[in-house]
Amino acid sequence: MAGMSRVDTSYLARWWRNVDRVTLCCVGVLIGFGYVLMLAASPAVATRIGASRDMFILKQVVFLTLAGLIVTGTSLLSPRGVRRLAAVGFVLAVAATALTLVHGVEIKGARRWIALPMMSVQPSEFLKPCFAVVTAWLLTERRTRRLFPGMPIALGLFAAILLLLKSQPDIGMLSVITTVFLAQLFIDGLNLFFVGAGVGCMIAAFLGAYMVFPHVRSRVERFLHPNVGDHYQIDTALRAFGNGGLMGRGPGEGRVKDLLPDAHADFVFAVAGEEFGMLICLFIIGVFCLIVVRTLLKLLREDDPFVVVASTGLITGFGLQAFVNMGSTLHLIPTKGMTLPFISYGGSSAMSVALTIGMVLALTRHRVGESRIPRGRVAPIPAPGLRRATA
């Protein structure tokens, strides 16, 4: 790649010159940490459940390799290609998520997975990136077709997702998708009153979930009242950070992986803290922040409404997922079983996050002399929170 000259006009050469190579490099760094931490955390977990010590490692090698290919392949697409991929993916993800309610595998009282040979798939993971792009298209299409009912359709799709995820139930995933949707509405120029009303509805929904779902109530009460309930996982994770200190105990020297059932997945950040120390944890946080902030700064110079709204939703979901995982591990928020992008074990998560970043790279790729939107001229997005005259 480095040897591609400016006179090389092949599609791959133009992609390499125009893609955000800093973000691409950051993704490679996260995938590298994913490999290293899986080598550190997964053998003890596999041994504890009576499986081969290498089972999780070999699977994650495949998952992360596929994730790298998905990031690269998706970033080659045009905005129209991203939109088409998201539309097809959204239909398939909704259908598969509905299927989990009938033929899904029940784990800890929730039906979120479909069993396949060698692995289980969580279809709702793919709803996040696909819904963000489809919503962006619906919201911005109104600018080229005045009578196009983009907002009602987007609200209808969101309502369908709400019902599906509530039925599983998966309140954490629903919270992320809701936040993404509200962020996109805000960036699209929805009046602040309605954005505030949406936030109010979200708070009311959280209160309802607290009252209706026992596992939600249990997690919130354990977070608010340290002396109530079982705090074994959080206490062990926090002790791991204390044991690691500034520089860590060294690769393979950690003990949290021998004690936590999800040390390779939800609590992999604690393994990083114990074995590699606070400096490496801060570096990982910095890599996530760099990806998010760099994408948002690129969008400040973007004049295509579809790219702005879609990329905002995609990067919001990515950053929020990372924050929820690390915040849960550090006991900054109630515990939630959500993976750390590219680092935690999980095929559905790795490929979903790869699809997210691949779409972001495709949409923000610099295109000289290319039209971002295939047809029509589009008015620029008004300042966030201001009502459009055509609303």
Side-chain angles (χ1 to χ4, degrees):
M1 291 291 185
M4 291 182 178
S5 67
R6 289 285 174 178
V7 297
D8 188 346
T9 58
S10 66
Y11 189 83
L12 191 60
R14 285 186 284 117
W15 166 82
W16 178 246
R17 288 195 294 267
N18 297 328
V19 76
D20 186 349
R21 286 174 293 200
V22 174
T23 297
L24 202 60
C25 180
C26 289
V27 170
V29 169
L30 292 177
I31 290 177
F33 273 113
Y35 282 124
V36 172
L37 288 173
M38 204 50 48
L39 288 171
S42 66
V45 178
T47 300
R48 191 163 55 246
I49 65 175
S52 168
R53 284 177 57 85
D54 298 331
M55 181 186 73
F56 292 119
I57 296 174
L58 295 176
K59 285 187 175 182
Q60 192 68 352
V61 166
V62 175
F63 295 152
L64 292 179
T65 301
L66 288 175
L69 294 174
I70 290 172
V71 169
T72 305
T74 306
S75 68
L76 291 166
L77 296 175
S78 65
R80 175 185 287 186
V82 170
R83 194 171 63 192
R84 289 176 174 174
L85 176 63
V88 174
F90 180 75
V91 171
L92 294 177
V94 168
T97 303
L99 186 63
T100 61
L101 303 179
V102 182
H103 297 290
V105 177
E106 184 172 338
I107 301 177
K108 298 179 181 179
R111 290 183 175 272
R112 305 171 188 168
W113 298 268
I114 295 177
L116 297 176
M118 303 296 294
M119 65 176 292
S120 295
V121 176
Q122 186 177 353
S124 59
E125 285 281 356
F126 298 93
L127 284 174
K128 290 183 293 183
C130 295
F131 177 70
V133 175
V134 169
T135 298
W137 174 72
L138 290 171
L139 294 176
T140 57
E141 185 69 8
R142 297 175 299 168
R143 303 174 189 276
T144 56
R145 290 192 286 173
R146 185 163 184 169
L147 298 180
F148 182 75
M151 180 66 78
I153 297 175
L155 291 172
L157 294 178
F158 174 72
I161 292 175
L162 187 152
L163 291 174
L164 285 174
L165 296 181
K166 173 187 171 298
S167 301
Q168 285 187 334
D170 192 347
I171 304 303
M173 183 70 69
L174 180 57
S175 302
V176 171
I177 291 178
T178 301
T179 303
V180 167
F181 188 46
L182 289 175
Q184 289 184 296
L185 292 177
F186 177 71
I187 291 298
D188 187 54
L190 188 67
N191 189 286
L192 277 176
F193 172 80
F194 295 107
V195 175
V199 173
C201 291
M202 192 174 176
I203 294 174
F206 286 153
L207 293 175
Y210 174 83
M211 300 298 295
V212 173
F213 299 109
H215 70 284
V216 175
R217 186 185 309 115
S218 174
R219 289 176 177 177
V220 172
E221 289 180 350
R222 281 182 290 170
F223 174 75
L224 296 176
H225 306 288
N227 297 324
V228 175
D230 179 17
H231 293 80
Y232 172 76
Q233 294 199 93
I234 286 297
D235 290 343
T236 305
L238 293 177
R239 191 165 64 249
F241 287 107
N243 293 340
L246 189 65
M247 304 298 294
R249 300 183 57 164
E253 299 300 320
R255 295 293 172 262
V256 66
K257 59 196 179 188
D258 299 322
L259 304 173
L260 286 177
D262 293 324
H264 63 315
D266 298 344
F267 288 92
V268 71
F269 195 56
V271 177
E274 185 175 29
E275 299 200 359
F276 300 98
M278 184 182 72
L279 291 180
I280 291 298
C281 288
L282 291 175
F283 179 77
I284 292 173
I285 294 172
V287 173
F288 281 113
C289 290
L290 179 59
I291 293 174
V292 174
V293 173
R294 185 174 176 83
T295 300
L296 294 176
L297 290 177
K298 286 175 73 70
L299 294 179
L300 291 177
R301 302 188 298 270
E302 179 59 60
D303 58 2
D304 185 332
F306 168 70
V307 171
V308 172
V309 177
S311 298
T312 298
L314 291 167
I315 207 65
T316 297
F318 175 81
L320 187 58
Q321 179 173 339
F323 169 76
V324 168
N325 177 277
M326 293 184 287
S328 298
T329 305
L330 292 168
H331 201 47
L332 299 177
I333 59 175
T335 56
K336 173 66 188 82
M338 195 166 286
T339 57
L340 188 59
F342 295 118
I343 295 179
S344 294
Y345 173 80
S348 298
S349 173
M351 284 179 258
S352 167
V353 172
L355 185 64
T356 298
I357 295 299
M359 287 177 171
V360 169
L361 290 172
L363 292 171
T364 59
R365 202 168 77 237
H366 181 60
R367 294 175 177 84
V368 178
E370 292 184 31
S371 175
R372 298 272 186 154
I373 295 295
R375 56 180 178 74
R377 287 184 294 178
V378 183
I381 291 183
L386 298 180
R387 183 188 296 274
R388 291 183 302 275
T390 59

